[in-house]
Amino acid sequence: MTRRRGLALIAAVTAITVAVATPAAAAPPPPEGPSWHPGIPPIATPWTAQVGPGNALPEYPRPQLTRNRWENLNGVWEFARAEVGQAVPAGRSLGERVLVPYPIESALSGIQRHEDRMWYRRTFTVPAGWGVGGAGQRLLLHFGAVDYDAKVFVNGTQVGTHRGGYDGFDLDVTDALVGTGPQELIVWAEDLTDATGQPIGKQRRVSDRGIFYQGSSGIWRTVWMEPVPAAHITDLKLTPSLATQTLGLTVNGTPGQQFEAVARNGNKVVGRVTGTVGTAVALPVPNPKLWSPDNPFLYDLQVRLLSGDTVGSYFGMRQIGTARGADGKLRIALNGKILFNLANLDQGFWPDGLNTAPTDAALKFDLQQDKAMGFNAVRKHIKVEPDRWYYWADRLGLMVWQDMPSANTGPIPVEWRDQFEAELHEMVREHQSWTSIVAWVPFNEGWGEWDRLATGRIADEVKAQDPTRLVNAHSGVNCCNSKGDSGRGDVIDFHQYLGPASPAPSGDRVSIDGEHGGYGLKTANHMWFGDGGAYEMTPDKATLTAKYVENQKAVITSAKSCGISASVYTQITDVEGELNGFWTYDRQVAKMDLRQVKKINQQIIAAADGSAGNVPQPAPGTPGLTGIAFYPLEDSGSDEAGSHDATVVGGAAFVPGHTGNGVQLDGGYLDTGAPLVNTASDYTAAAWVRLDRADGAFQTVVSQDGPTNSDFFLQYSGADQRFAMSFVGVRALSPTKPNPGQWYHLVGVRDTVKGELRLYVDGELAGTASACMPQTAPTGNTVIGRGKFGGNPVDFLDGTVDQVHLYDRALTPAEIHQLSASGN
């Protein structure tokens, strides 16, 4: 019988319980055949040399459900490449040796190559004192994870199959045992990685030297066995409730069994409850001590079937939700109080073990560094970790945003979609009681997404499965392969490199910066390929640190002005060719001044509290519809009040305009000679324009130069083939494509109080966009007929412009309608 792992349904094991579930020594290598030898990774971690046949991850692997008796089956196994249709090699020694549980592509495995299909083989002996086969005792065989398809044989009998690279499975192998001596265990595994539609996260058969990495095949988490009574517990589901001061508890296992559960604070009993397996009960936890990053307090839990089976566990009392700040913006709250989730991106790859950390101390290291640097959260990026990773997050006090591993970046093939959803819901089921996990993330940047409505449905289904956590339907909904915002879930999540991203909360959804940063630094002798890159490289540690601090100051601004509730900096360590970590990939060198990192991180959490008065109120501005500057663009002098001259640069000619004359631009533009609008406050730009063409090229009507890019663009967006009022990466778009040869009145409004860009076409509101981040003071001239991007002049207008107005305030809709109707 194959059973999905149902163990991640409480919150982790207490120090007392861990002490009971002592580490078991890994088995020695088989006596016959060749011996195991580790491979040589391109770079080694501080723990690489500590790994060997006798200590391959010996710790108790399932801290949420502990028993006293167990045996670790990690260690040296026999190994061989498998062929399609090959008979099970029962009774036959295999030709190579592999160290389990390190994936075969890793140096620590000793194989250090990919195989599509593979055999593993070893023997085990059931301790006589376990009484398996008699007195109702059964033997369970546990696999933490096998990537991707697995078949398991005991003494030549197939005892189970499993599909899925990131979830565990359990097998009752009692009936396949023979006698009392050595038992033969064989595992077949197939992993085609990116040749299929299976969930793979960042894994690829061959690294692209960019954002996708060397894959991990075969057994990559601990294998172990334990005896259990015929009537036994399979998993626990724990749901804390602060409102009722109880722990919701469901004990799963043999139907009809009665149980008693006892919660303790140290030696003190704080609550007790009895119930029936499969039926939810409420365990009292009066006046609970709350779990938080500052005080990650955990209660001990013991659950005992009245028929005998006893397990240990633990839980934290905490509540994740939302609350409205004094500034009126909806924000994330922990235990009813607004708390900014300051997170590091954590991808969980290792140069020696790939998907598998070399030791438990290594697994803990990254999380310890997060805490030391002042982070209070982690985004576990499109990977699911072994249980002990979440145990350490619980114990250390880190809020975890848990991604679902993606398939390939394109839409998941139809035949793989049900499998993706099944693995997503299994991930939630196995992990829904870890105290540290506060949010589920089904999709990242549209990778694998096939339909926006399906994304919304999936988010709703995850929320129904676990209503106690946030659901982030789509991290980076503004990016890459995204099908667009489904409008579902609890979160609006943008990505922006270098960023930070600055979406605003809307309705009942909070907003977050799901990824930003990515500054890089090369560190000689500590790079996987000997080279690599990042979103922006820096020359030295001091510069990298300064870039980080400045970037994080912008997070404070985004939190105050826009209302983001979380930010995720990329990333905790370098990974292969990505050199944008706080630490090198081998965890040997800290690449920034971590004292400065901690200082700014603590400032962010303290400042991003939803306080009122974060947005300065603009001055009233100049009254009237003439504005602070008016360019009628006549070919003779004008005595109209407020008219100005502009310098013609390049090709231009006076032609009949919308009112009198206008200027037709032919590769040229008009330079006003000054920055006319204060981009640090509200402003409006208006013009009549007639395009000669409307194709895929951008065309700028009015803009103002910044240091590198225009501070704003009143433009025709070639990417959308519509008019727009834009910042770089943000566009308020009209709904339809304009007609060449037709006059249009365009008005672009910057409203700092609402945090918006608004576009009006012919006096009517045509589009809005959230643009809550404040701009800096002006640095360059206002220009008509071109933009600036990347330090270069771009997006020249191919058409005629007339009646240009600039204002030092946000015009009202009534004023815009009046201006358009006047023809001026």
Side-chain angles (χ1 to χ4, degrees), residues 431-610:
H431 296 81
Q432 63 186 340
S433 293
W434 293 109
T435 303
S436 52
I437 296 179
V438 298
W440 306 112
V441 187
F443 288 98
N444 175 73
E445 294 183 351
W447 298 354
E449 189 183 20
W450 61 91
D451 179 80
R452 184 169 58 189
L453 292 178
T455 299
R457 170 185 58 80
I458 289 168
D460 289 346
E461 290 172 354
V462 170
K463 188 69 175 183
Q465 182 181 5
D466 181 8
T468 70
R469 291 180 173 86
L470 303 176
V471 175
N472 182 0
H474 190 158
S475 184
V477 72
N478 64 320
C479 181
C480 313
N481 293 15
S482 172
K483 301 294 184 184
D485 187 1
S486 68
R488 310 304 301 162
D490 303 299
V491 181
I492 302 167
D493 179 332
F494 283 13
H495 293 178
Q496 186 175 335
Y497 289 101
L498 301 159
S502 53
S506 177
D508 59 357
R509 294 194 296 168
V510 298
S511 66
I512 75 166
D513 157 59
E515 291 180 32
H516 79 281
Y519 292 96
L521 174 65
K522 295 182 180 182
T523 311
N525 302 317
H526 296 276
M527 295 182 286
W528 176 259
F529 295 117
D531 200 358
Y535 292 96
E536 181 180 313
M537 297 300 292
T538 61
D540 51 48
K541 181 175 184 177
T543 305
L544 178 62
T545 303
K547 288 280 189 180
Y548 176 78
V549 171
E550 191 64 28
N551 188 252
Q552 292 297 82
K553 287 179 180 177
V555 171
I556 297 176
T557 304
S558 183
K560 288 187 171 184
S561 299
C562 303
I564 63 168
S565 288
S567 70
V568 182
Y569 185 84
T570 302
Q571 62 185 317
I572 178 64
T573 73
D574 297 347
V575 183
E576 295 195 1
E578 287 192 301
L579 304 182
N580 49 18
F582 289 99
W583 288 80
T584 53
Y585 190 23
D586 56 12
R587 279 75 167 175
Q588 299 272 12
V589 179
K591 297 168 63 178
M592 297 188 201
D593 180 346
L594 301 187
R595 293 169 300 178
Q596 293 188 53
V597 169
K598 181 177 183 179
K599 182 178 179 181
I600 186 63
N601 286 350
Q602 290 175 329
Q603 289 174 9
I604 293 170
I605 295 171
D609 60 356

Side-chain angles (χ1 to χ4, degrees), residues 342-401:
L342 186 66
N344 222 334
L345 192 79
D346 185 330
Q347 307 201 72
F349 282 79
W350 299 83
D352 44 13
L354 299 180
N355 251 9
T356 306
T359 69
D360 192 59
L363 190 72
K364 181 182 179 182
F365 175 84
D366 289 355
L367 296 173
Q368 288 176 308
Q369 299 313 308
D370 287 321
K371 289 291 289 188
M373 290 187 289
F375 290 97
N376 63 11
V378 177
R379 181 180 173 198
K380 176 45 63 177
H381 192 38
I382 45 181
K383 184 193 176 190
V384 184
E385 292 287 0
D387 284 357
R388 290 193 65 84
W389 188 90
Y390 302 95
Y391 164 75
W392 286 121
D394 282 355
R395 292 293 302 273
L396 293 169
L398 285 160
M399 297 177 288
V400 174
W401 290 64

